[in-house]
Amino acid sequence: MQFTMRIVCILVLILLFSGSSSFGDSANVSPRPEVVNIGALFSFRSMIGKVGKIAVEAAIEDVNSDPSILGVTKLNLSLHDTNYSGFLGIIESLRFMETKTMAIIGPQNSVTAHVISHIANEVQVPLLSFSATDPTLSSLQFPFFIRTSQNDLYQMAAVAEIVDYFQWKEVIAIFVDDDHGRNGIAALGDQLNERRCKISLKVPLKPDASRDEVTDALVKVALTQSRILVIHTYETTGMVVLNVAQYLGLTGPGYVWIATNWLSLLLDTNSPLPSASMENIQGLVALRLYTPDSALKRNFVSRWTNLTAGKSSSGSFGLSTYGLYAYDTVWMLAHAINAFLNEGGNLSFSKLSKLTGTDVRYLNLNSMSIFNGGKTLLDKILEVNFTGITGSVGFTPERDLIHPAFEVINIIGTGERKIGYWSNYSGLSIVPPETLYSKPPNRTSSNQKLYDVVWPGQATQKPRGWAFPNSGRHLRIGVPRRVSYQEFVSQVEGTDMFTGYCIDVFTAAINLLPYAVPYKLIPFGDGLTNPSETELIRLITTGVYDGAIGDIAIITNRTRMADFTQPYVESGLVVVAPVKKLNSSAWAFLRPFTPKMWCVTAASFLVIGAVVWILEHRINDDFRGPPKKQVITILWFSFSTLFFSHRENTVSALGRLVLIIWLFVVLIINSSYTARFICSKLLD
C-alpha cells in the first residue's frame, strides 16, 4: 500500500512539473496576431497600376482563404493611389508609417522608389516593388528595398547580346531622362562595352515630352551614322517616339528598332492596338519578361477575365507579366511573415528616435515609428523559396530574383512572333530557358540562336546597321610612321599621302565595296623612331582612330583590343627581291656573274699564276723550261686551281702562302657562282 502511494505521488509531481513547464513555455511565446497590416502604392490608372491592383487584391484573397499559409492570421491590405505623382507617393508612404504597417508593396516607379527607400531605411519597413526595375536600387544604399521582378541590368544584357549576335557595333539610345531611363541606359552602355560595342548617341527625353520636342530629338538621330536604335521609355512616350519616327522615315528599310519591355506591356494590356499604332511598330524587336508555363499560371490566366469584370470604365484589359509578379509578391510576403511569426516575431513598434528634439508638430511626423522586427522580416523575405505562377521564386546573393530570363519578340502584321529567349544562364536560344537549366551553361557564339527576323520595311535580310549621312564624318585611319621596312608603309615627304604595300592592299579593298567609304589617313609617330603598334591599337579602343593600316603584328594582347583582318603577309623572316623574267639560252651559265665580274675573275687568275711563277721558277723545276712551256704552265696552273686539280707543287714558303689565300678566294667564287646559278634557275 505504501509502495502504491509513493508511485501515485511521483506521478502527481511529474504531472505538476510538466504542467508548470508547459505553462511557462506558453507564457514566453507571443500569440499570432489576427491581422497584419500591409500597404500598397500604385497609380491606379496606369497600365502597371491597374493590373497590379487587381493581381494584389486577388493574391490577398487567396492567401487569407488558405489557412496553411498564415493560419489564423489575415493580411489587411491598404491601397493608396499615387496618381502618377512622386510627391503623392512620398506623402502616402509617410501615412503608412503612421499605421504600424509591416511591409509595403511598391512603389510602382523607380523615381519614387529612390526617395521612399530612404524613409524605409529609417523606419525599417521592407519595400517590395514588382515594377521599379532601376539597377541602382539594388545597391547597398537601400537595404530595405526588394525588387520582386527582374532587374533592368539583365534586360540590358539581353539587348547587348542581341546587338552582338547580329554583329552591330554602335547603337543610338533613346530614353526618358529620369532615374529609370538614365540608369537603365548606363547599364546598357556597360554591357555593350563588354562586347566591344558602344552607344554612339544618347537621346534623352522628358517623361512628358511633347511631340515637337520628340521631333527635334529625332531629327538629330536622322543625321547620324548608326541605324540601330534602342528605345527605353514609358508606354505613352514610346508610342509618340515611334509615331514621329514613322513620320520622319526612320522606320523604313535599313533601320533597326529594339524596344525594352514597355512595348510588350502595352501589347499585353491594351491588345489589340489601333491599326495606326501597329503600323508604327512593324518590324520592331522587343523584350518581354519570361515566365514558364505551368498549371498555376494557366489557372490564374483563366481567372483574369472574371477578376477584371467591371473594374474599369474603359472596358476589359489584358494581363501583363507585371500582374504575375505582383501576385507572387503577395505570396512571397505571406511566406516570409509566416516564417517571421513562427520564430516568435512580434509586431512591435517604437518611436523614431531621430525625431526627438525636432519640431515636427506641423508635419505630423510624431506618430511615425520604427518596426522593431523589420530586419528579421527582411531576412525572411530574402530566404523565401517557393514555386509561384512566375516559376521558382528565390533571391540571389545580390538580392535579384533567380533565373532572370526574357522573351524576344518580333512585331509582324497585327500581332507578334516569338523569335527566341534570353537567359542569364545560357544567353540567346530558341528553346525555353527552363529546359537548359539541367545542362551545363554554354555561352559560345555557335550556341547563340534566334529565329529569322522580319525587319522594318518588311526586309528579311539583316540590316547593315549604319549608313553615311550627309553630315557623316570621315573614317580616321591611323598609319604608323616607321623608320624601317618602309616598303610596307611610308609617308611621302612633305605631303599627307602614304605609299607602300599595306596602303595598296587597303585601297584595293576599299575599291571593292559597293558603296563609298570616305576616310582620312592620319600619321602616327614622329618619323624618327618606330612608334608603338600596341599603343596605336589602344587608341582605336578609345575612339581616337577608327582603324589602322600597316605591318602590325597580330599578337594576343592586341587581339583583345581590336579586330584584325586575315593576315596577307606570312609571318617570319623573308627576302623581298624584284622578279625579272629571263630567257633561257646556251649561255645561261654566264648569268650568275656580270661581265665585269667575269673580267675581274679572269684577271685574278692570270695575276695569281704570274705571282706564283715569279716565286717558284728559280727553285722549282715544275716552273722552268722554254718560254712557251712556262706561259702554258702559268695559264694551266691558274685555271686548274679553279677545280682544285693543280699538279705543280709549290716549294717556297711565300708561294705556298699565296696559293693558300688564292684557294680560299676560289672557294668563295665557286660557292657564289653555284648559289646565283640556282637562284636564276628558280626565277626562270
Side-chain angles (χ1 to χ4, degrees):
M1 185 69 177
Q2 292 180 352
F3 177 76
T4 303
M5 290 297 296
R6 288 179 182 178
I7 295 298
V8 171
C9 290
I10 291 173
L11 292 174
V12 170
L13 290 174
I14 292 174
L15 290 174
L16 289 174
F17 178 77
S18 61
S20 62
S21 298
S22 301
F23 178 78
D25 292 341
S26 62
N28 292 331
V29 176
S30 300
R32 293 176 71 95
E34 294 183 1
V35 175
V36 171
N37 294 324
I38 63 174
L41 291 172
F42 306 133
S43 295
F44 293 164
R45 289 180 296 169
S46 67
M47 290 187 188
I48 295 177
K50 64 183 180 182
V51 172
K53 178 177 180 294
I54 293 177
V56 168
E57 290 175 338
I60 293 290
E61 182 180 350
D62 292 344
V63 169
N64 288 339
S65 62
D66 188 351
S68 65
I69 304 301
L70 288 173
V72 298
T73 304
K74 304 296 182 182
L75 296 179
N76 179 39
L77 176 67
S78 297
L79 286 165
H80 289 281
D81 186 3
T82 60
N83 197 25
Y84 294 100
S85 172
F87 175 74
L88 289 179
I90 297 171
I91 298 301
E92 297 297 345
S93 66
L94 292 175
R95 291 178 58 187
F96 278 133
M97 308 310 174
E98 300 172 2
T99 58
K100 306 213 178 335
T101 300
M102 194 173 184
I104 298 176
I105 299 175
Q108 180 176 315
N109 61 67
S110 301
V111 178
T112 307
H114 273 277
V115 179
I116 298 180
S117 293
H118 290 286
I119 303 174
N121 290 347
E122 297 296 332
V123 298
Q124 299 184 7
V125 173
L127 299 175
L128 293 85
S129 178
F130 58 86
S131 56
T133 55
D134 177 4
T136 62
L137 287 169
S138 298
S139 64
L140 298 177
Q141 182 183 9
F142 306 119
F144 282 87
F145 177 85
I146 303 171
R147 181 184 291 104
T148 58
S149 64
Q150 297 300 343
N151 192 333
D152 262 352
L153 178 65
Y154 298 113
Q155 180 171 213
M156 296 309 169
V159 173
E161 290 212 25
I162 292 173
V163 172
D164 186 53
Y165 174 79
F166 289 107
Q167 299 179 349
W168 297 314
K169 293 301 180 184
E170 294 185 5
V171 303
I172 297 174
I174 304 173
F175 60 97
V176 287
D177 195 10
D178 62 6
D179 293 326
H180 169 71
R182 282 193 306 271
N183 296 328
I185 293 302
L188 174 61
D190 293 339
Q191 294 293 331
L192 288 172
N193 288 337
E194 292 180 4
R195 296 162 177 81
R196 289 172 159 185
C197 306
K198 67 177 182 179
I199 299 176
S200 59
L201 177 65
K202 294 183 179 180
V203 184
L205 300 170
K206 294 193 300 185
D208 55 349
S210 66
R211 183 180 177 86
D212 290 339
E213 291 171 333
V214 172
T215 301
D216 293 340
L218 292 188
V219 167
K220 299 177 183 178
V221 172
L223 299 176
T224 57
Q225 173 178 313
S226 178
R227 293 293 185 264
I228 313 301
L229 298 99
V230 176
I231 178 169
H232 181 56
T233 63
Y234 300 116
E235 306 83 46
T236 304
T237 307
M239 292 308 295
V240 173
V241 169
L242 292 171
N243 182 265
V244 174
Q246 173 81 3
Y247 174 75
L248 295 177
L250 302 181
T251 58
Y255 283 90
V256 174
W257 287 82
I258 302 175
T260 51
N261 61 346
W262 66 266
L263 182 57
S264 61
L265 166 65
L266 181 65
L267 293 172
D268 293 339
T269 308
N270 290 351
S271 182
L273 296 180
S275 58
S277 298
M278 289 301 299
E279 183 68 23
N280 294 334
I281 62 176
Q282 290 299 302
L284 265 70
V285 174
L287 296 176
R288 175 188 285 123
L289 290 166
Y290 174 72
T291 54
D293 187 31
S294 65
L296 289 174
K297 179 180 175 181
R298 290 192 296 270
N299 179 50
F300 185 73
V301 171
S302 65
R303 293 171 53 194
W304 186 252
T305 302
N306 294 331
L307 291 174
T308 57
K311 294 296 180 69
S312 175
S313 58
S314 58
S316 61
F317 50 90
L319 172 62
S320 67
T321 51
Y322 285 113
L324 303 178
Y325 280 101
Y327 184 87
D328 273 355
T329 298
V330 175
W331 281 85
M332 179 190 304
L333 182 57
H335 283 290
I337 292 175
N338 182 60
F340 172 80
L341 296 176
N342 286 341
E343 292 191 2
N346 55 62
L347 304 182
S348 63
F349 295 81
S350 58
K351 188 174 182 180
L352 187 60
S353 60
K354 288 189 177 182
L355 296 178
T356 304
T358 304
D359 189 4
V360 293
R361 292 172 296 173
Y362 301 105
L363 297 177
N364 195 28
L365 298 180
N366 285 321
S367 58
M368 291 183 63
S369 57
I370 298 176
F371 176 32
N372 296 326
K375 291 184 178 179
T376 303
L377 178 60
L378 176 66
D379 293 337
K380 296 303 177 185
I381 293 173
L382 296 176
E383 293 172 1
V384 162
N385 187 4
F386 72 100
T387 300
I389 60 176
T390 60
S392 299
V393 179
F395 289 93
T396 67
E398 292 77 24
R399 297 158 53 98
D400 291 324
L401 285 182
I402 58 176
H403 303 320
F406 291 85
E407 293 179 6
V408 186
I409 61 175
N410 182 208
I411 312 301
I412 304 174
T414 58
E416 63 186 59
R417 184 172 69 97
K418 190 181 301 180
I419 60 173
Y421 306 87
W422 178 90
S423 69
N424 192 45
Y425 185 76
S426 57
L428 297 172
S429 67
I430 56 177
V431 297
E434 64 269 18
T435 62
L436 301 175
Y437 293 145
S438 60
K439 303 176 182 178
N442 187 350
R443 301 300 292 267
T444 60
S445 58
S446 60
N447 196 57
Q448 305 299 296
K449 295 180 181 179
L450 289 175
Y451 289 117
D452 293 336
V453 180
V454 177
W455 304 102
Q458 298 184 356
T460 56
Q461 185 176 2
K462 184 196 77 172
R464 185 173 56 196
W466 59 273
F468 282 102
N470 296 331
S471 60
R473 65 177 179 85
H474 287 58
L475 290 178
R476 296 170 57 87
I477 308 296
V479 182
R481 297 179 62 189
R482 296 184 58 89
V483 178
S484 59
Y485 302 110
Q486 295 190 357
E487 294 81 2
F488 286 100
V489 60
S490 62
Q491 185 175 10
V492 179
E493 193 68 28
T495 68
D496 295 333
M497 299 177 60
F498 289 85
T499 61
Y501 179 68
C502 296
I503 301 298
D504 294 340
V505 172
F506 174 77
T507 305
I510 288 292
N511 293 335
L512 291 175
L513 296 177
Y515 45 83
V517 180
Y519 62 91
K520 182 178 181 181
L521 301 181
I522 302 174
F524 174 72
D526 54 12
L528 302 177
T529 58
N530 289 330
S532 171
E533 295 176 348
T534 302
E535 177 64 16
L536 174 59
I537 300 302
R538 189 191 68 81
L539 291 177
I540 296 177
T541 64
T542 60
V544 176
Y545 300 115
D546 298 308
I549 304 173
D551 52 330
I552 303 172
I554 305 175
I555 59 177
T556 304
N557 186 37
R558 296 172 186 169
T559 57
R560 296 192 182 103
M561 295 187 287
D563 294 327
F564 286 80
T565 64
Q566 288 293 329
Y568 47 82
V569 175
E570 293 184 1
S571 60
L573 297 177
V574 296
V575 176
V576 180
V579 178
K580 184 177 180 181
K581 183 68 175 178
L582 297 176
N583 296 324
S584 179
S585 67
W587 300 97
F589 70 92
L590 296 177
R591 288 179 187 170
F593 290 159
T594 62
K596 185 177 180 179
M597 182 63 183
W598 282 115
C599 293
V600 171
T601 303
S604 299
F605 275 95
L606 294 176
V607 170
I608 291 300
V611 170
V612 173
W613 177 80
I614 293 172
L615 296 175
E616 294 289 328
H617 81 283
R618 290 178 298 172
I619 57 176
N620 192 341
D621 293 338
D622 291 339
F623 291 90
R624 290 183 178 182
K628 182 179 179 181
K629 179 183 177 183
Q630 293 183 39
V631 171
I632 294 174
T633 299
I634 292 173
L635 295 175
W636 175 254
F637 176 82
S638 58
F639 179 76
S640 61
T641 56
L642 179 63
F643 306 99
F644 304 98
S645 60
H646 51 283
R647 292 180 295 178
E648 291 80 9
N649 294 324
T650 52
V651 178
S652 65
L654 288 176
R656 292 178 177 177
L657 178 61
V658 171
L659 182 60
I660 291 173
I661 296 174
W662 173 244
L663 291 177
F664 273 109
V665 174
V666 170
L667 178 63
I668 295 172
I669 293 174
N670 282 333
S671 301
S672 300
Y673 179 88
T674 303
R676 288 176 175 268
F677 184 79
I678 293 174
C679 288
S680 65
K681 284 299 183 183
L682 291 176
L683 292 176
D684 288 343

